[in-house]
Amino acid sequence: MSTHPKTAPPGAVEVRGPGDGHESSDDGDVLLAAMGYKAELVRRRSTWHVAFMSFVLASIPYGLATTLYYPLQGGGPVVVIWGWLLVSLIILCVAASLGEITSVYPTAGGVYYQTFMLAPSSFRRVAAYICGWSYVVGNITITLAVQFGTTLFFVACVNVFESEPGVGVWGAETYQVFLTFLAITLLCNAISAFGNRWLHLLDTFAIFWTFAGLLAILITILAVAKEGRNSASFALGGFEPTSGWPAGWSFCVGLLHAAYATSSTGMVISMCEEVQRPATQVPKAMVITILINTVGGLLFLVPLMFVLPDLAMLVALPSAQPVPTIIKSAVGSSGAAIALLIPLMVLAILCGVACTTAASRCTWAFARDGAIPGSKWWKHVHPKLDLPLNAMMLSMAIQIVLGAIYFGSYTAFNAFSGVGVISLTVSYGAPIAVSMLEGRAHVKEAKFPLGKIGWLCNSVAIAWSILAVPLFCMPAYLPVTAANVNYAPVVFVGFVVIAFVWYAVWGRKNYRGPPTESLGEDPMPGEHGVGTTKKD
């Protein structure tokens, strides 16, 4: 396989810059080669393309719609609105912290590679290995949560049409839900694989589609408001916890809603090797996206709280998907409700495609360094599609297997979203924590410097990581039964056991981590095969 950088196909964005009037998209490939890897993916994305993809990964308002049940049960409007603002501010610190580190180490390995390079040599292999597994598990399970959430959301949307009062037209038997989930997963993988060269255009379309849909929902439900409007004191300050937890902890558990929607913050780092100037473009895009998401979230959530029907009725919905019911209540018509829900349904599919793409890239990057069983298959890049197809299929297979948990528990979605948030939060915290332990020495020359606020942003990010892990292992409500138990810690521990067993059996002697030439070290014999600057 050639080690020369690939040339972007017709239609790729050309970056203009100083000097001769052009700045080559190979700048990223030069950085990549300096870090010990060869370029295998096409760089066709600009700063805004990355920002748009990051926006689609979070998919506000869809990402907030599928988990709205949790803050409503956790306390209602206060948790919904102020929980969203609180988590957005925290995630802004996480995004800025990761952006600063990414501007020094812009690779598809993302936080895994960064942890290895930042950590002292005495424990960097173990630190990177743990971080890498958390990152891959987080990407795969959050993608699973999106596909499964889309399935449940589609069922609820269809059931705005009723066969009789209070009874939807689709009974949605367990096997039907699973088959729908399977179809959505296959569709998203097909679009990501065969439409790869056009995905950046799809992401651009998505942001305009999103805000058009947001405005339509905002204007219509507030103008029509068939059942009247709530007072501002209730819409912005109502607090009625029904989860069974103490009030303060109930508020915290309800933050899963906002944490789920913002958990994709660092996933876009896996696209660094498809971005023209990743050291500056990816960090900027990450921060820009959080700001856009915060505004978009408020435009969606605040109007819903003003037309919120009976809270007890919403949390008792068997679908656990209150948004279709809220919108139908506001407009008073099934036809009008589905018309307003269609933008969210389309956005759900686009979100699934973006998550599928990011998950495949991080899985491929981790396999490239030999950290996953069967790495020789998963690190392969399809020569015609210009993407890691095998890694994508591995990710999809794991999602389908885990999706079968739904046959045993109707709260499986809570497990998927919970373990995704936990794993990604742990992986995001790893390079930030190591950087702080090293006195932030490695980021002093960052191309996206935080300067004096760096320590503050890093501290907030680490505090959030410490809180999120136990928080999202909790059941959504009490008392705990076999039907509502939170499987997130079980799934998370399962992956941790697999990771440690593989490390003990194989990794301890064979896994060496990313290329170390950039650190001035000689590689170990047999270290770093396909995917580095050395010949295969």
Side-chain angles (χ1 to χ4, degrees), residues 31-100:
L31 285 172
L32 192 62
M35 289 184 282
Y37 296 107
K38 65 184 177 184
E40 296 185 87
L41 305 177
V42 178
R43 298 183 183 274
R44 55 169 60 91
R45 294 177 183 265
S46 67
T47 301
W48 284 106
H49 287 144
V50 181
F52 294 163
M53 179 181 179
S54 187
F55 179 83
V56 175
L57 282 168
S59 283
I60 307 302
Y62 159 73
L64 293 173
T66 54
T67 53
L68 189 62
Y69 170 82
Y70 298 103
L72 289 180
Q73 188 174 62
V78 161
V79 189
V80 174
I81 303 300
W82 300 108
W84 170 245
L85 282 174
L86 174 63
V87 173
S88 293
L89 289 174
I90 292 171
I91 299 301
L92 182 61
C93 293
V94 175
S97 298
L98 289 178
E100 183 181 45

Side-chain angles (χ1 to χ4, degrees), residues 187-367:
L187 174 63
C188 290
N189 277 268
I191 295 173
S192 180
F194 299 111
N196 183 50
R197 66 178 62 240
W198 300 290
L199 290 183
H200 62 293
L201 300 177
L202 196 62
D203 293 336
T204 303
F205 159 78
I207 197 163
F208 292 103
W209 174 267
T210 296
F211 277 95
L214 271 175
L215 289 175
I217 293 172
L218 182 155
I219 294 170
T220 304
I221 65 175
L222 289 180
V224 178
K226 283 282 186 179
E227 297 190 9
R229 302 173 189 83
N230 297 315
S231 65
S233 61
F234 174 81
L236 302 177
F239 186 61
E240 302 173 12
T242 59
S243 65
W245 290 108
W249 192 247
S250 185
F251 176 90
C252 291
V253 173
L255 295 180
L256 174 64
H257 170 243
Y260 169 69
T262 57
S263 61
S264 62
T265 299
M267 290 174 66
V268 78
I269 302 175
S270 294
M271 303 302 294
C272 274
E273 293 176 37
E274 294 167 70
V275 178
Q276 295 155 357
R277 298 192 308 280
T280 54
Q281 291 175 317
V282 173
K284 289 179 182 178
M286 291 168 65
V287 173
I288 289 171
T289 304
I290 299 301
L291 299 175
I292 296 174
N293 283 344
T294 302
V295 174
L298 290 175
L299 288 176
F300 178 65
L301 296 173
V302 172
L304 289 183
M305 296 304 100
F306 272 98
V307 296
L308 199 69
D310 181 60
L311 198 55
M313 179 271 292
L314 290 175
V315 298
L317 288 171
S319 67
Q321 293 291 322
V323 169
T325 301
I326 295 171
I327 290 178
K328 182 179 178 180
S329 169
V331 297
S333 162
S334 297
I338 199 69
L340 292 176
L341 289 167
I342 284 175
L344 302 187
M345 297 171 75
V346 173
L347 187 58
I349 298 298
L350 297 179
C351 178
V353 173
C355 288
T356 296
T357 303
S360 68
R361 301 318 192 259
C362 83
T363 303
W364 164 73
F366 200 38

Side-chain angles (χ1 to χ4, degrees), residues 355-381:
C355 288
T356 296
T357 303
S360 68
R361 301 318 192 259
C362 83
T363 303
W364 164 73
F366 200 38
R368 182 170 58 179
D369 290 331
I372 299 177
S375 290
K376 65 179 181 180
W377 294 301
W378 318 129
K379 67 184 179 181
H380 177 68
V381 174

